[in-house]
């Protein structure tokens, strides 16, 4: 392919310039095949720590390790040419100090080839975001419901209701001023998400937030109907692949037990030659 025909990958500055423009399309991926499916349609592909619940059967994201994120990040990288790849820093990998966060972020970027990392938290993590961005690590921020703080919140509850809205507004301002290039708003009241989107100068990416956000993100397995353990209100199912897959598996099992598979068309019945077994 000539240089003129190469696909230009999206960068963090490109995303920042999309503020107020055509909404950003964002989905999660954890494997190469899914990354290839998403690449031509998405602006951002997030290797989310949701992988712990979606693929590894964990009850929350808290058990996800840095090595797990790197392994899945490497797989996703092989499937992308166009979309911006962002990798979550998992719980415990960035809270200790800005220096600790930088070491882990640098490792993730170096070993996966991602272009940015995502950190959960607002005012409490702003110093770390400032430290990272000053040293060449683009950061996507994440406020509102932050799943790594599920124990602090007492569950996956809507955040920012009533007087608590001011906390979310302060968090959004803090991470913006610290240098984040975009901000995920998760599970907060629609008017609050709309107001924050209007008030800050970086793109907001909603998940259970507002249509007014500068983009939207969902977990791919939720959107495709592959993950069925629970279904948040903010998820729209665009397919029911889990049901289709189970039906296909059941049909295969029936065919095998009844000796209907493999059939003649699946066998090499005319390939036997003298000496094949020597």
């Amino acid at each position: 392919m000539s240089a003129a025909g190469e696909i230009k990958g999206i960068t963090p500055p490109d995303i920042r310039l999309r503020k107020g423009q055509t909404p950003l399309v964002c989905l999660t991926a954890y494997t190469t095949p899914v990354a290839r499916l998403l690449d031509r349609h998405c602006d951002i592909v997030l290797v989310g720590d949701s992988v712990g619940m979606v693929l590894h059967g964990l009850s929350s994201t808290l058990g996800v390790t840095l090595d797990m994120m790197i392994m899945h990040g490497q797989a996703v990288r092989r499937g992308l040419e166009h979309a911006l790849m962002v990798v979550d820093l998992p719980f415990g990998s960035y809270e200790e100090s800005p220096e600790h966060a930088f070491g882990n972020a640098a490792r993730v970027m170096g070993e996966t080839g991602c272009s940015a990392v995502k950190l959960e938290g607002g005012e409490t993590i702003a110093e770390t975001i400032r430290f990272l961005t000053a040293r060449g690590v683009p950061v996507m921020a994440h406020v509102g419901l932050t799943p790594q703080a599920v124990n602090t919140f007492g569950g996956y509850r809507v955040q920012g209701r009533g007087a608590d809205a001011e906390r979310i507004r302060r968090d959004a301002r803090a991470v913006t001023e610290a240098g984040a290039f975009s901000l995920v708003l998760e599970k907060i009241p629609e008017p609050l998400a709309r107001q924050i989107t209007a008030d800050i100068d970086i793109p907001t990416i909603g998940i259970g937030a507002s249509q007014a956000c500068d983009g939207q993100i969902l977990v791919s397995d939720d959107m495709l109907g592959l993950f069925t353990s629970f279904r948040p209100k903010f998820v729209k199912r665009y397919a029911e692949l889990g049901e289709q897959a189970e039906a296909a598996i059941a049909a295969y099992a029936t065919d095998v037990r009844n000796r209907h598979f493999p059939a003649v068309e699946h066998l090499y019945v005319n390939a036997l030659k003298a000496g094949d077994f020597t």
Side-chain angles (χ1 to χ4, degrees):
M1 182 181 290
S2 67
E6 290 178 357
I7 299 173
K8 180 183 181 296
I10 296 174
T11 67
D14 293 333
I15 296 299
R16 186 163 189 149
L17 290 173
R18 291 281 294 274
K19 178 71 179 179
Q21 306 300 315
T22 302
L24 295 159
V25 178
C26 317
L27 285 167
T28 63
Y30 321 111
T31 65
T32 305
V34 171
R36 286 175 177 152
L37 291 174
L38 301 186
D39 191 43
R40 71 179 64 186
H41 304 287
C42 290
D43 301 296
I44 298 172
V45 171
L46 171 67
V47 186
D49 59 0
S50 50
V51 68
M53 302 171 76
V54 173
L55 292 191
H56 293 274
L58 301 178
S59 60
S60 74
T61 63
L62 300 182
V64 175
T65 67
L66 200 65
D67 286 341
M68 288 168 64
M69 295 308 303
I70 289 171
M71 177 184 67
H72 289 286
Q74 290 169 339
V76 170
R77 178 72 270 168
R78 297 181 193 111
L80 297 181
E81 294 182 351
H82 169 70
L84 175 73
M85 176 176 154
V86 180
V87 175
D88 266 336
L89 291 187
F91 179 69
S93 68
Y94 59 93
E95 296 89 343
E96 180 179 330
S97 68
E99 292 80 6
H100 183 240
F102 177 77
N104 286 329
R107 182 185 168 203
V108 167
M109 294 184 73
E111 294 186 28
T112 69
C114 71
S115 298
V117 297
K118 181 166 77 63
L119 279 65
E120 295 183 6
E123 288 183 311
T124 59
I125 209 70
E127 179 187 353
T128 295
I129 293 174
R130 186 173 288 108
F131 190 91
L132 295 182
T133 57
R135 288 158 178 79
V137 178
V139 175
M140 173 184 284
H142 183 161
V143 304
L145 174 64
T146 48
Q148 292 176 13
V150 61
N151 291 325
T152 300
F153 292 147
Y156 298 97
R157 300 171 180 173
V158 175
Q159 300 295 305
R161 284 178 166 154
D164 189 45
E166 182 55 31
R167 174 179 65 87
I168 308 299
R169 283 192 286 267
R170 289 197 309 268
D171 283 343
R173 289 193 294 268
V175 299
T176 300
E177 292 168 1
F181 71 90
S182 59
L183 172 62
V184 173
L185 298 174
E186 181 168 357
K187 210 169 183 180
I188 64 174
E190 194 282 336
L192 177 60
R194 183 179 292 270
Q195 181 186 57
I196 289 172
T197 298
D199 287 348
I200 66 174
D201 61 5
I202 61 173
T204 59
I205 299 169
I207 177 167
S210 174
Q211 192 180 64
C213 289
D214 299 295
Q216 302 294 331
I217 188 167
L218 285 175
V219 172
S220 294
D221 297 68
D222 286 341
M223 183 269 289
L224 294 171
L226 285 167
F227 183 76
T228 57
S229 295
F230 59 87
R231 180 178 177 178
K233 178 182 180 180
F234 55 74
V235 170
K236 178 178 179 179
R237 289 262 176 85
Y238 286 81
E240 294 292 349
L241 299 189
E243 292 180 4
Q244 294 176 36
E246 186 172 5
I249 292 164
Y252 166 74
T254 298
D255 277 359
V256 170
R257 291 184 179 118
N258 292 322
R259 298 190 184 278
H260 294 160
F261 177 84
V264 172
E265 62 266 28
H266 307 119
L267 303 174
Y268 302 97
V269 294
N270 295 319
L272 187 62
K273 297 182 294 185
D276 278 355
F277 295 100
T278 61

